[in-house]
Amino acid sequence: MKLVLIGYMASGKSAIGKLLANKLNYQFIDLDDYIVSKENCSISELFKNKGEIYFRLKETEYLQVLLESKDNIVLSTGGGTPCYGNNMNIINKLSESIYLKSSVKTIYNRLLSEKDSRPLVASIKNDDLIEFIGKHLFERAPFYEQATSIIKTDKMNLDEVVDSILHR
Ligand code: S3P
């Protein structure tokens, strides 16, 4: 079985993915980390040196390669992965997808301290961040909502989210 975690930046995909994989005895793969290792370059540098379109093409390529070649994995994706190309169809055809749904406020509080490592929000002023997230999430939600399962994570800790996924 292949489980793919999707959701906005800072929605806990990697932390939850690691715990979930551990409980299931599955391999955990983080798509961003995989891209970094294959391209030998950080995500920020990739955006800066080769541009976002190059990143999106590689993201689709590696997503497909991983889902076609691996089994018994938990794959955590980037916040934009489901929203480009045919990615959401690829994900739903080849795996079970889980949308970790967080509110704008929760994402804002988490992203404030982690924004520098994320090229899409690094240059946004803290005062403008909540509005940016609100609009961006509104655009992306129709893709995220195509997931097989949706879990509202705002009031849960990491273990509770993992248990809720296992329960399903
Ligand atoms: C992105 C999210 C990032 C990373 C890249 C683009 C996005 O992943 O893939 O910076 O478009 O939302 P995280 O969701 O792990 O931050």
Side-chain angles (χ1 to χ4, degrees):
M1 183 148 153
K2 296 161 211 191
L3 296 173
V4 173
L5 301 182
I6 66 172
Y8 200 75
M9 285 176 264
S11 58
K13 300 175 298 275
S14 301
I16 290 162
K18 274 180 206 153
L19 289 173
L20 181 63
N22 210 15
K23 286 225 168 168
L24 289 167
N25 222 355
Y26 279 12
Q27 183 186 0
F28 170 72
I29 305 169
D30 180 286
L31 184 58
D32 277 344
D33 289 348
Y34 189 81
I35 296 171
V36 168
S37 73
K38 289 286 169 193
E39 296 292 308
N40 245 318
C41 189
S42 72
I43 301 290
S44 299
E45 289 291 313
L46 263 186
F47 267 67
K48 204 167 95 194
N49 298 338
K50 303 217 170 159
E52 183 174 352
I53 291 177
Y54 178 85
F55 171 79
R56 295 300 174 195
L57 291 171
K58 287 292 160 188
E59 185 177 44
T60 298
E61 183 184 320
Y62 294 131
L63 171 73
Q64 186 141 18
V65 165
L66 285 170
L67 289 181
E68 281 175 350
S69 63
K70 304 256 183 194
D71 202 6
N72 295 342
I73 56 164
V74 176
L75 176 68
S76 77
T77 57
T81 311
C83 317
Y84 291 87
N86 196 29
N87 294 355
M88 201 57 216
N89 288 336
I90 295 172
I91 291 170
N92 277 340
K93 201 169 138 207
L94 300 175
S95 73
E96 296 291 317
S97 54
I98 299 147
Y99 170 26
L100 302 178
K101 185 169 182 173
S102 310
S103 68
V104 173
K105 207 166 158 210
T106 302
I107 293 167
Y108 169 76
N109 287 330
R110 290 199 198 132
L111 257 190
L112 260 188
S113 58
E114 302 173 10
K115 125 188 189 280
D116 291 350
S117 60
R118 292 175 161 97
L120 288 184
V121 288
S123 63
I124 293 174
K125 291 196 208 104
N126 288 354
D127 285 352
D128 299 332
L129 189 60
I130 197 142
E131 199 187 336
F132 175 87
I133 296 167
K135 283 186 186 158
H136 207 198
L137 194 56
F138 180 74
E139 287 164 10
R140 289 181 164 190
F143 296 93
Y144 298 150
E145 302 275 346
Q146 291 172 39
T148 326
S149 308
I150 298 176
I151 299 188
K152 287 190 183 173
T153 63
D154 284 322
K155 295 190 181 119
M156 292 187 198
N157 64 35
L158 295 180
D159 287 321
E160 286 167 339
V161 177
V162 171
D163 286 344
S164 156
I165 296 171
L166 291 172
H167 190 69
R168 282 156 200 240

